[in-house]
Amino acid sequence: MGNDLSKRKDSCYTVIAKTGDRPHGGTDANVYVVLHNKDGEASPKIKLDTRLHDDLERGQTDVFNVKGLSTSFGDIVAIDIWSKGKDRIKDDWYAEWVSVVKGEEDLFQFPLNRWIRAADGKLRFQRNDCCIPQHSKEKEQREKELSKKRQLYQFSTDEPGIPRQVKLLPTDEKFHPEYDNWKESTLKNLKLQVLLIKHTTKEFLSISHLTDLYKFGFDVPRGLDNWESDKHFGNNIMNGTNPYRVQICKEIPEKLAVTEDMLTPSLCGLTITEAIAQNRLFYIDYKDLDGIPEIPNPIALLFVDDADDLMPVAIQLEQEPANDNPVFLPTDNKYTWILAKMWFNMADASFHEACTHLCYTHLVSASAGVAMHRNLSPSHPLHRLLLPHFKNVMAINDFGFERLLMEGGAFDRLFKMGLKGSIQLMKGHFQNNWRFDRDSMYPEQIKSRGLENPKILPKYYYRDDALLYWEAIVKYVGAIVNAHYDEADAIKNDWELQEFAAALRSEDGCYFRGIPGDGKFTEKKEVIDVVSTIIFNLSVQHAAVNFDQYDQHAFPLMYSGFVSGERPRDKSMRTEADILDALPPKLLTLGTLVIMKFLSIKNTSPLGEIEVPCMYDEVGVAAHAQFRRDLRKVGHAIEERNRRRDIPYTVLLPCNVPNDTSI
């Protein structure tokens, strides 16, 4: 703090100003404040300046004594604030908040979270600065501010067919310099470690030689000891990085050429009909991958055994039965079955990285962030609620497009489908298959696959733990929505909210199909569902599909986006040599270690721990405090569950779920 409350002397009022920790956030301009009381009276102009002190510097909190104003002036309900400089960039001031203290105890808070620029003239803010537009006393000011935001946050048309991103990354969305430095130094160190591995390991002449990868800072991936087991395969389907593709099987798909005799050894004495009737048969169908180069579009059939483990019982690597497209079974030769699982996992990893991870957490979330900035004023309660969760998602996407999603980048090198295949897959699935209300809204994506009953797939830990978060987030969002939209027509009359809804749905906005209300909110539940889904995907869903990537990808036989050679077209006996031939090239494996280790590092605050608070109103503060309490209960519940689980599911422990998508 640049100066403190001990220096207040005999002042009846004190102004405290916090400068945001932003590059060039401090100012040398003269900044002035006028206080307004509830009777409409205004104080004299107050200059935020302390003699012989460098005020309003980046990250600094400064205290200013107000002279000549007695406590009879009363409570402060609004402030005017403006700056006078030469209108240069260095004269801009990023104000995080201004607070006014009356006497010894009365505190009046004005969260600004804005740039104060001389060109904007005098701005007025009400106490707590949190209301829907029809209740605002500064409607014209709000609209002018939004007009400028729409110029900053424009939708890009560079890559039509995928969720639209911001055209040019605004300065406020860029990484904090410290985070940027951490990111670059971490990648550099990982590459140096891989270089050491490259020069200290030989070619992989046996499967056991692969363990030479894990040194110089690269941990042995979890699950390495049982990577070839069917139990491990089934657990990854439920609780790995792509946990929302498995669905209940009500009948065997006609295109899957399995017979009763094929499955009898794997169904614990049940017939296919009995297994279906007992809700013990499941499948994954990757028809979405049809036409993607180098990648199979497999179907896998899975069964819950008597120990409640999900086990693969059949894999067909292409959609249509044919002599060169056999059904692979666990009763096949050991290495033949391993090879079939490797090719299935390549398809699963490819869909995961392009769609589950990149498209439906990163890109969809950032697109919604552009819509928010363009249509919800910074004074809107939903803007204040959402803003901390959008931190860094546009910046990490911008980084990804520059370094990962480019010719010769990570997607192009590490995944057999390459960059063109990745883009083709994202476009096709987003345009033709994905719906917000079915595929992004957590309860609906579980129901759409027939898995909402916890007795079905009892070891589906992702479903069970994510539900705890969903309920806490819905409660949190609901508290704020219900408080601010307590009048019958409040939602209909909130033009900012309606424009936000329209932007989420429209072709020149996000173009999200299946948005509740179809681009026009009429009920509080629609608003709660959409806002809760956005927060859930930026935090919980991203954690679930991202942070275990190293543990899955680091051992290339366990899960890889690249399998060498051609898919097996017969069930002839394979050997360990055939498995080694299917490995990705060594350099590609080392590159995978770098990228997946980097993506799996957690370096931001956990969900609920907001670095820069935005909500200071009574409703927001109470709702957030309750949210923090509810998250602690979620953590205790998951820890207790993990003590009873044979394979603990730790990726959704609260310490592992960040507040935002930053990597």
Side-chain angles (χ1 to χ4, degrees):
M1 184 177 288
N3 40 35
D4 56 49
L5 289 173
S6 65
K7 298 180 180 180
R8 287 177 55 190
K9 300 180 181 178
D10 299 324
S11 297
C12 296
Y13 287 86
T14 304
V15 175
I16 309 172
K18 173 66 185 293
T19 303
D21 185 13
R22 300 283 181 99
H24 313 295
T27 185
D28 293 328
N30 295 321
V31 178
Y32 300 91
V33 168
V34 168
L35 312 182
H36 295 266
N37 66 16
K38 59 186 178 182
D39 296 322
E41 298 172 332
S43 74
K45 179 174 66 176
I46 303 162
K47 184 178 181 181
L48 301 187
D49 179 63
T50 301
R51 188 169 176 269
L52 301 178
H53 180 72
D54 198 3
D55 304 296
L56 307 181
E57 293 301 307
R58 175 180 170 180
Q60 191 167 288
T61 302
D62 295 291
V63 179
F64 305 96
N65 300 314
V66 179
K67 298 178 181 179
L69 193 65
S70 72
T71 54
S72 62
F73 186 74
D75 294 349
I76 309 303
V77 299
I79 62 170
D80 293 336
I81 190 166
W82 70 99
S83 70
K84 284 188 176 181
K86 296 182 180 179
D87 203 18
R88 297 173 299 178
I89 293 177
K90 72 175 184 178
D91 287 335
D92 296 344
W93 177 47
Y94 190 82
E96 188 172 312
W97 48 259
V98 170
S99 294
V100 181
V101 180
K102 183 184 75 171
E104 296 296 328
E105 296 182 354
D106 293 335
L107 177 66
F108 310 96
Q109 295 177 304
F110 300 87
L112 303 183
N113 308 105
R114 291 169 172 86
W115 289 96
I116 304 299
R117 296 183 167 98
D120 294 333
K122 187 180 293 185
L123 301 174
R124 178 167 297 184
F125 298 99
Q126 301 297 315
R127 184 180 180 185
N128 299 325
D129 188 40
C130 186
C131 69
I132 55 180
Q134 60 265 45
H135 296 164
S136 176
K137 296 180 179 180
E138 286 78 44
K139 293 182 177 63
E140 183 178 349
Q141 177 178 302
R142 281 174 81 125
E143 185 50 44
K144 285 182 178 178
E145 185 174 33
L146 277 175
S147 180
K148 292 178 180 178
K149 293 286 286 291
R150 292 185 191 108
Q151 294 301 312
L152 280 174
Y153 292 84
Q154 297 184 33
F155 280 108
S156 171
T157 56
D158 289 346
E159 196 63 66
I162 65 174
R164 299 174 73 195
Q165 302 300 287
V166 68
K167 184 175 182 179
L168 183 65
L169 188 68
T171 300
D172 284 351
E173 298 297 335
K174 293 181 179 179
F175 286 121
H176 189 285
E178 289 182 7
Y179 190 88
D180 224 359
N181 292 337
W182 168 85
K183 174 171 56 67
E184 295 300 331
S185 64
T186 299
L187 279 171
K188 182 179 179 180
N189 289 335
L190 290 172
K191 290 175 182 178
L192 288 173
Q193 291 163 14
V194 152
L195 194 62
L196 289 172
I197 296 172
K198 175 186 174 182
H199 292 295
T200 57
T201 56
K202 300 177 181 179
E203 291 303 316
F204 305 128
L205 301 179
S206 73
I207 291 175
S208 63
H209 287 170
L210 288 168
T211 56
D212 291 343
L213 292 168
Y214 312 116
K215 52 186 177 181
F216 304 123
F218 287 96
D219 302 326
V220 174
R222 189 174 65 249
L224 179 62
D225 291 342
N226 61 346
W227 67 271
E228 64 184 73
S229 78
D230 288 346
K231 178 178 177 178
H232 179 86
F233 181 94
N235 185 64
N236 273 354
I237 293 293
M238 295 183 292
N239 304 311
T241 56
N242 199 21
Y244 79 152
R245 291 294 293 179
V246 63
Q247 54 188 310
I248 198 162
C249 182
K250 293 300 185 182
E251 60 180 359
I252 301 293
E254 290 185 10
K255 58 190 176 183
L256 179 58
V258 296
T259 66
E260 196 80 54
D261 288 343
M262 287 181 183
L263 298 185
T264 294
S266 302
L267 299 187
C268 298
L270 300 179
T271 65
I272 293 175
T273 301
E274 289 168 339
I276 289 174
Q278 293 182 24
N279 294 322
R280 293 174 69 175
L281 210 57
F282 303 84
Y283 75 105
I284 297 177
D285 185 351
Y286 270 119
K287 59 187 176 183
D288 323 81
L289 297 174
D290 187 31
I292 304 300
E294 306 286 350
I295 301 296
N297 52 352
I299 310 171
L301 195 66
L302 305 106
F303 173 75
V304 171
D305 67 12
D306 292 341
D308 289 335
D309 292 316
L310 183 67
M311 309 288 278
V313 296
I315 295 174
Q316 184 176 292
L317 290 175
E318 297 291 345
Q319 291 286 299
E320 296 302 327
N323 291 333
D324 66 348
N325 184 31
V327 175
F328 295 93
L329 304 167
T331 52
D332 292 340
N333 163 264
K334 171 184 173 180
Y335 293 110
T336 303
W337 179 234
I338 287 174
L339 195 60
K341 290 191 290 183
M342 287 175 65
W343 278 84
F344 176 88
N345 278 338
M346 179 172 68
D348 191 70
S350 300
F351 184 90
H352 161 263
E353 206 62 63
C355 294
T356 304
H357 178 215
L358 177 60
C359 194
Y360 299 138
T361 57
H362 282 265
L363 301 188
V364 163
S365 296
S367 190
V370 178
M372 182 201 75
H373 281 289
R374 288 176 59 83
N375 297 288
L376 296 181
S377 161
S379 301
H380 198 289
L382 295 183
H383 184 115
R384 291 198 169 279
L385 170 64
L386 284 167
L387 186 62
H389 302 286
F390 280 120
K391 178 187 177 185
N392 287 338
V393 68
M394 295 184 200
I396 196 63
N397 289 0
D398 189 68
F399 169 79
F401 277 108
E402 286 184 359
R403 301 275 287 271
L404 306 179
L405 282 167
M406 56 179 290
E407 289 189 15
F411 265 73
D412 217 16
R413 293 181 291 106
L414 305 184
F415 288 84
K416 197 168 187 178
M417 63 182 171
L419 178 61
K420 290 182 179 179
S422 302
I423 298 295
Q424 180 185 337
L425 176 54
M426 281 191 286
K427 285 184 176 182
H429 201 268
F430 178 69
Q431 291 177 316
N432 302 317
N433 299 90
W434 181 84
R435 288 179 58 90
F436 187 94
D437 55 0
R438 182 193 61 212
D439 300 306
S440 268
M441 287 175 55
Y442 170 77
E444 300 308 316
Q445 60 102 337
I446 296 293
K447 289 178 184 176
S448 70
R449 295 180 287 117
L451 303 178
E452 66 273 23
N453 184 344
K455 294 181 179 179
I456 297 175
L457 275 187
K459 293 187 177 182
Y460 193 14
Y461 305 142
Y462 157 77
R463 171 197 60 199
D464 301 338
D465 291 357
L467 179 61
L468 299 177
Y469 282 99
W470 174 258
E471 292 171 345
I473 291 170
V474 167
K475 180 180 175 182
Y476 175 41
V477 174
I480 291 168
V481 170
N482 288 325
H484 287 278
Y485 296 99
D486 56 346
E487 300 168 0
D489 293 330
I491 288 176
K492 183 180 74 172
N493 293 334
D494 183 343
W495 58 88
E496 291 179 3
L497 181 67
Q498 295 302 337
E499 288 170 359
F500 176 55
L504 292 173
R505 181 64 186 92
S506 67
E507 291 189 38
D508 58 354
C510 301
Y511 202 21
F512 293 166
R513 297 160 189 83
I515 278 286
D518 199 33
K520 186 176 182 180
F521 292 136
T522 58
E523 301 175 359
K524 286 189 279 191
K525 185 179 186 304
E526 294 169 343
V527 180
I528 293 169
D529 283 345
V530 168
V531 174
S532 297
T533 297
I534 291 171
I535 294 174
F536 181 88
N537 285 339
L538 282 161
S539 55
V540 181
Q541 185 69 359
H542 181 258
V545 305
N546 179 72
F547 289 116
D548 263 1
Q549 288 192 91
Y550 176 80
D551 280 320
Q552 285 204 227
H553 282 269
F555 188 68
L557 297 180
M558 186 158 59
Y559 195 78
S560 176
F562 196 108
V563 178
S564 295
E566 294 187 358
R567 71 166 176 85
R569 298 178 182 274
D570 59 58
K571 296 177 47 151
S572 59
M573 292 186 64
R574 266 67 174 195
T575 66
E576 182 176 335
D578 294 303
I579 302 302
L580 292 171
D581 287 342
L583 282 171
K586 182 179 176 181
L587 285 179
L588 191 151
T589 298
L590 295 175
T592 299
L593 288 180
V594 171
I595 293 299
M596 297 307 170
K597 183 71 173 181
F598 175 69
L599 293 177
S600 300
I601 298 173
K602 308 169 191 73
N603 195 36
T604 52
S605 300
L607 180 61
E609 293 186 16
I610 297 174
E611 296 172 16
V612 180
C614 294
M615 296 188 296
Y616 286 76
D617 63 296
E618 185 176 346
V619 169
V621 170
H624 184 255
Q626 183 60 52
F627 184 47
R628 294 284 302 275
R629 291 192 290 271
D630 290 340
L631 289 175
R632 285 194 288 272
K633 292 178 182 177
V634 168
H636 295 324
I638 294 175
E639 288 170 355
E640 180 59 34
R641 290 173 174 180
N642 278 335
R643 281 192 279 270
R644 300 192 301 268
R645 291 167 173 169
D646 57 342
I647 303 176
Y649 184 61
T650 59
V651 71
L652 290 187
L653 284 169
C655 60
N656 294 330
V657 178
N659 203 56
D660 53 80
T661 297
S662 296
I663 200 164

mmCIF file of all heavy atoms in Angstrom, residues 505-522:
data_model
loop_
_atom_site.group_PDB
_atom_site.id
_atom_site.type_symbol
_atom_site.label_atom_id
_atom_site.label_comp_id
_atom_site.label_asym_id
_atom_site.label_seq_id
_atom_site.Cartn_x
_atom_site.Cartn_y
_atom_site.Cartn_z
ATOM 1 N N ARG A 505 -26.587 -17.308 -30.060
ATOM 2 C CA ARG A 505 -27.290 -18.146 -31.041
ATOM 3 C C ARG A 505 -27.049 -17.737 -32.488
ATOM 4 O O ARG A 505 -27.054 -18.581 -33.390
ATOM 5 C CB ARG A 505 -28.808 -18.094 -30.758
ATOM 6 C CG ARG A 505 -29.646 -18.949 -31.709
ATOM 7 C CD ARG A 505 -29.322 -20.426 -31.567
ATOM 8 N NE ARG A 505 -30.011 -21.244 -32.554
ATOM 9 C CZ ARG A 505 -29.518 -21.584 -33.745
ATOM 10 N NH1 ARG A 505 -28.316 -21.140 -34.107
ATOM 11 N NH2 ARG A 505 -30.198 -22.347 -34.566
ATOM 12 N N SER A 506 -26.814 -16.477 -32.766
ATOM 13 C CA SER A 506 -26.844 -15.978 -34.145
ATOM 14 C C SER A 506 -25.637 -16.448 -34.950
ATOM 15 O O SER A 506 -24.563 -16.708 -34.417
ATOM 16 C CB SER A 506 -26.898 -14.450 -34.143
ATOM 17 O OG SER A 506 -25.694 -13.906 -33.647
ATOM 18 N N GLU A 507 -25.820 -16.503 -36.268
ATOM 19 C CA GLU A 507 -24.758 -16.947 -37.169
ATOM 20 C C GLU A 507 -23.586 -15.970 -37.195
ATOM 21 O O GLU A 507 -22.450 -16.370 -37.455
ATOM 22 C CB GLU A 507 -25.308 -17.136 -38.585
ATOM 23 C CG GLU A 507 -26.256 -18.317 -38.708
ATOM 24 C CD GLU A 507 -26.612 -18.611 -40.150
ATOM 25 O OE1 GLU A 507 -25.725 -18.493 -41.020
ATOM 26 O OE2 GLU A 507 -27.780 -18.949 -40.406
ATOM 27 N N ASP A 508 -23.856 -14.694 -36.963
ATOM 28 C CA ASP A 508 -22.751 -13.722 -36.936
ATOM 29 C C ASP A 508 -22.188 -13.533 -35.533
ATOM 30 O O ASP A 508 -21.371 -12.651 -35.294
ATOM 31 C CB ASP A 508 -23.182 -12.377 -37.523
ATOM 32 C CG ASP A 508 -24.368 -11.764 -36.790
ATOM 33 O OD1 ASP A 508 -24.926 -12.441 -35.895
ATOM 34 O OD2 ASP A 508 -24.741 -10.626 -37.111
ATOM 35 N N GLY A 509 -22.636 -14.379 -34.591
ATOM 36 C CA GLY A 509 -22.084 -14.405 -33.239
ATOM 37 C C GLY A 509 -21.444 -15.763 -32.987
ATOM 38 O O GLY A 509 -20.665 -16.258 -33.796
ATOM 39 N N CYS A 510 -21.809 -16.387 -31.884
ATOM 40 C CA CYS A 510 -21.220 -17.686 -31.537
ATOM 41 C C CYS A 510 -21.778 -18.827 -32.377
ATOM 42 O O CYS A 510 -21.084 -19.815 -32.621
ATOM 43 C CB CYS A 510 -21.478 -17.987 -30.060
ATOM 44 S SG CYS A 510 -20.827 -16.771 -28.909
ATOM 45 N N TYR A 511 -23.016 -18.711 -32.768
ATOM 46 C CA TYR A 511 -23.726 -19.731 -33.553
ATOM 47 C C TYR A 511 -23.808 -21.058 -32.801
ATOM 48 O O TYR A 511 -23.513 -22.122 -33.327
ATOM 49 C CB TYR A 511 -23.087 -19.924 -34.922
ATOM 50 C CG TYR A 511 -24.024 -20.538 -35.957
ATOM 51 C CD1 TYR A 511 -25.417 -20.486 -35.807
ATOM 52 C CD2 TYR A 511 -23.530 -21.183 -37.081
ATOM 53 C CE1 TYR A 511 -26.269 -21.027 -36.748
ATOM 54 C CE2 TYR A 511 -24.362 -21.737 -38.044
ATOM 55 C CZ TYR A 511 -25.735 -21.659 -37.863
ATOM 56 O OH TYR A 511 -26.585 -22.207 -38.795
ATOM 57 N N PHE A 512 -24.234 -20.968 -31.522
ATOM 58 C CA PHE A 512 -24.425 -22.159 -30.705
ATOM 59 C C PHE A 512 -25.831 -22.700 -30.945
ATOM 60 O O PHE A 512 -26.825 -22.057 -30.583
ATOM 61 C CB PHE A 512 -24.266 -21.846 -29.215
ATOM 62 C CG PHE A 512 -22.875 -21.450 -28.800
ATOM 63 C CD1 PHE A 512 -22.663 -20.872 -27.549
ATOM 64 C CD2 PHE A 512 -21.779 -21.666 -29.624
ATOM 65 C CE1 PHE A 512 -21.383 -20.514 -27.144
ATOM 66 C CE2 PHE A 512 -20.496 -21.298 -29.230
ATOM 67 C CZ PHE A 512 -20.300 -20.726 -27.984
ATOM 68 N N ARG A 513 -25.935 -23.880 -31.523
ATOM 69 C CA ARG A 513 -27.241 -24.525 -31.661
ATOM 70 C C ARG A 513 -27.647 -25.096 -30.311
ATOM 71 O O ARG A 513 -26.815 -25.562 -29.550
ATOM 72 C CB ARG A 513 -27.167 -25.619 -32.719
ATOM 73 C CG ARG A 513 -26.830 -25.101 -34.110
ATOM 74 C CD ARG A 513 -26.294 -26.216 -35.006
ATOM 75 N NE ARG A 513 -25.769 -25.680 -36.257
ATOM 76 C CZ ARG A 513 -24.554 -25.170 -36.396
ATOM 77 N NH1 ARG A 513 -23.727 -25.117 -35.360
ATOM 78 N NH2 ARG A 513 -24.141 -24.712 -37.567
ATOM 79 N N GLY A 514 -28.940 -25.076 -30.031
ATOM 80 C CA GLY A 514 -29.424 -25.658 -28.788
ATOM 81 C C GLY A 514 -29.273 -24.780 -27.569
ATOM 82 O O GLY A 514 -29.334 -25.270 -26.442
ATOM 83 N N ILE A 515 -29.101 -23.479 -27.774
ATOM 84 C CA ILE A 515 -29.067 -22.569 -26.624
ATOM 85 C C ILE A 515 -30.469 -22.498 -26.012
ATOM 86 O O ILE A 515 -31.449 -22.255 -26.730
ATOM 87 C CB ILE A 515 -28.609 -21.157 -27.060
ATOM 88 C CG1 ILE A 515 -27.093 -21.097 -27.162
ATOM 89 C CG2 ILE A 515 -29.067 -20.081 -26.096
ATOM 90 C CD1 ILE A 515 -26.365 -21.072 -25.829
ATOM 91 N N PRO A 516 -30.617 -22.713 -24.709
ATOM 92 C CA PRO A 516 -31.945 -22.574 -24.092
ATOM 93 C C PRO A 516 -32.559 -21.223 -24.431
ATOM 94 O O PRO A 516 -31.915 -20.183 -24.313
ATOM 95 C CB PRO A 516 -31.640 -22.696 -22.593
ATOM 96 C CG PRO A 516 -30.430 -23.574 -22.538
ATOM 97 C CD PRO A 516 -29.609 -23.183 -23.733
ATOM 98 N N GLY A 517 -33.800 -21.252 -24.883
ATOM 99 C CA GLY A 517 -34.480 -20.036 -25.316
ATOM 100 C C GLY A 517 -34.238 -19.708 -26.776
ATOM 101 O O GLY A 517 -34.860 -18.800 -27.324
ATOM 102 N N ASP A 518 -33.297 -20.433 -27.411
ATOM 103 C CA ASP A 518 -32.993 -20.263 -28.835
ATOM 104 C C ASP A 518 -32.700 -18.814 -29.203
ATOM 105 O O ASP A 518 -33.150 -18.302 -30.220
ATOM 106 C CB ASP A 518 -34.139 -20.793 -29.696
ATOM 107 C CG ASP A 518 -33.699 -21.058 -31.134
ATOM 108 O OD1 ASP A 518 -32.535 -21.441 -31.330
ATOM 109 O OD2 ASP A 518 -34.523 -20.870 -32.045
ATOM 110 N N GLY A 519 -31.917 -18.147 -28.344
ATOM 111 C CA GLY A 519 -31.512 -16.774 -28.642
ATOM 112 C C GLY A 519 -32.375 -15.712 -28.003
ATOM 113 O O GLY A 519 -32.173 -14.512 -28.236
ATOM 114 N N LYS A 520 -33.322 -16.129 -27.159
ATOM 115 C CA LYS A 520 -34.157 -15.159 -26.443
ATOM 116 C C LYS A 520 -34.552 -15.769 -25.101
ATOM 117 O O LYS A 520 -35.348 -16.707 -25.038
ATOM 118 C CB LYS A 520 -35.409 -14.811 -27.256
ATOM 119 C CG LYS A 520 -36.235 -13.708 -26.616
ATOM 120 C CD LYS A 520 -37.418 -13.317 -27.497
ATOM 121 C CE LYS A 520 -38.217 -12.179 -26.860
ATOM 122 N NZ LYS A 520 -39.370 -11.774 -27.712
ATOM 123 N N PHE A 521 -33.991 -15.218 -24.038
ATOM 124 C CA PHE A 521 -34.298 -15.739 -22.709
ATOM 125 C C PHE A 521 -35.683 -15.273 -22.259
ATOM 126 O O PHE A 521 -36.015 -14.093 -22.385
ATOM 127 C CB PHE A 521 -33.261 -15.267 -21.684
ATOM 128 C CG PHE A 521 -31.889 -15.848 -21.884
ATOM 129 C CD1 PHE A 521 -30.763 -15.036 -21.778
ATOM 130 C CD2 PHE A 521 -31.712 -17.194 -22.147
ATOM 131 C CE1 PHE A 521 -29.488 -15.559 -21.939
ATOM 132 C CE2 PHE A 521 -30.441 -17.725 -22.312
ATOM 133 C CZ PHE A 521 -29.332 -16.905 -22.212
ATOM 134 N N THR A 522 -36.465 -16.204 -21.714
ATOM 135 C CA THR A 522 -37.780 -15.848 -21.168
ATOM 136 C C THR A 522 -37.937 -16.297 -19.714
ATOM 137 O O THR A 522 -38.828 -15.819 -19.025
ATOM 138 C CB THR A 522 -38.908 -16.488 -22.008
ATOM 139 O OG1 THR A 522 -38.735 -17.914 -22.035
ATOM 140 C CG2 THR A 522 -38.892 -15.944 -23.432
#
